[in-house]
Amino acid sequence: MVVFLLANTSLRAAGSTLLAVFVAIGGLALIVTPWAWSMGRELIEERSQRVRTEARAEMAAHLHDSVLQTLALIQRSPEPREMATLARTQERELRAWLYGRAPALAGARLRDAIDAMAGRVEREQQVRVEAIVVGDADLDEHARALVSAVGEATLNAARHSGSTEVSVYVEVEDEAISAYVRDHGTGFDPGQVASDRRGIADSIIGRMERHGGTAQVNSRPGGGTEVAMHLPRKPA
């Protein structure tokens, strides 16, 4: 009986000790939890503030390096055509940058490459290039070949058609990518192109064929030119 009483007393003492420990832990948790929550919230806010500050600094740097310099060039340019080209080029670059499609901000994709090509030709040739891309795709070696062929066709139109505007239309579908480059310039007879002029044969038709695609040049004197390109997509 004495042993039982002693054991019972020990159990009650142990229970009281455990209860005291739990109460102490609970009290400590009540004290520490708000502090930890506050610290975590402050760290998150500090990080968010740093990200916003870096974003503003990046924006300011881009505006200084690109937009402001372009505006200065526009002010000094005496040619309305050149001013329009500069303004459109800057608009294209700024739009891509703001929407996260600039090559420095995102992985290169077909839409980015076509847009960059159009801006480059417009800037170099002083001819308006209107590029529309429906859909998008990764810029693999076949898509790069298409971009190069489209670029060559656009450059040819800007240089030789006499037109003040070149239209580029690219459509990405599940099974293929189609591209069209059109102008309303002087046109030409494709059958009369000199054999030493290999731009169309090699850089457009030949390039597309080497990558499993096709290209067709439709033109006539006085009727403008359309280059139609078709590139099957490889199964994923």
Side-chain angles (χ1 to χ4, degrees):
M1 184 66 178
V2 174
V3 173
F4 175 77
L5 290 174
L6 290 173
N8 193 31
T9 301
S10 298
L11 288 174
R12 284 200 298 271
S16 298
T17 302
L18 287 174
L19 180 61
V21 171
F22 288 142
V23 169
I25 293 175
L28 183 62
L30 289 174
I31 296 172
V32 172
T33 298
W35 174 81
W37 177 263
S38 177
M39 286 291 294
R41 188 168 56 187
E42 289 178 3
L43 288 173
I44 292 174
E45 179 61 28
E46 180 183 348
R47 181 179 179 184
S48 299
Q49 181 64 33
R50 185 169 63 251
V51 170
R52 288 193 294 268
T53 300
E54 291 174 354
R56 284 196 295 267
E58 184 67 21
M59 171 71 81
H62 180 78
L63 290 174
H64 176 270
D65 294 344
S66 182
V67 179
L68 295 180
Q69 292 183 14
T70 301
L71 290 175
L73 290 173
I74 290 174
Q75 289 177 347
R76 293 197 298 267
S77 175
E79 295 292 334
R81 191 171 178 180
E82 182 179 358
M83 286 190 288
T85 299
L86 288 168
R88 282 175 51 78
T89 300
Q90 187 56 68
E91 178 192 3
R92 180 181 282 113
E93 292 179 357
L94 184 58
R95 192 183 301 278
W97 194 87
L98 288 175
Y99 288 96
R101 295 195 294 106
L105 301 178
R109 291 178 63 77
L110 178 65
R111 181 189 297 272
D112 304 326
I114 292 292
D115 208 41
M117 177 278 299
R120 183 174 61 254
V121 173
E122 184 169 301
R123 185 171 56 251
E124 293 175 356
Q125 301 300 320
Q126 301 291 299
V127 171
R128 180 186 176 98
V129 179
E130 193 66 44
I132 297 175
V133 181
V134 178
D136 206 354
D138 291 332
L139 200 61
D140 58 18
E141 62 171 322
H142 302 291
R144 289 181 186 277
L146 175 70
V147 172
S148 296
V150 172
E152 181 67 19
T154 305
L155 184 61
N156 284 344
R159 282 178 173 172
H160 306 300
S161 72
S163 178
T164 59
E165 180 174 345
V166 179
S167 299
V168 178
Y169 178 80
V170 179
E171 183 173 7
V172 180
E173 299 178 294
D174 291 338
E175 297 181 354
I177 304 174
S178 300
Y180 303 88
V181 178
R182 301 184 180 99
D183 67 71
H184 297 287
T186 56
F188 64 99
D189 182 354
Q192 299 299 317
V193 176
S195 60
D196 59 342
R197 291 185 58 183
R198 308 299 298 172
I200 293 176
D202 292 340
S203 296
I204 300 176
I205 298 175
R207 176 179 276 126
M208 293 299 298
E209 290 178 349
R210 288 192 296 272
H211 288 270
T214 59
Q216 183 175 355
V217 179
N218 301 305
S219 184
R220 59 183 176 83
T225 301
E226 177 187 79
V227 181
M229 289 153 280
H230 186 80
L231 180 69
R233 300 186 69 184
K234 301 298 181 182

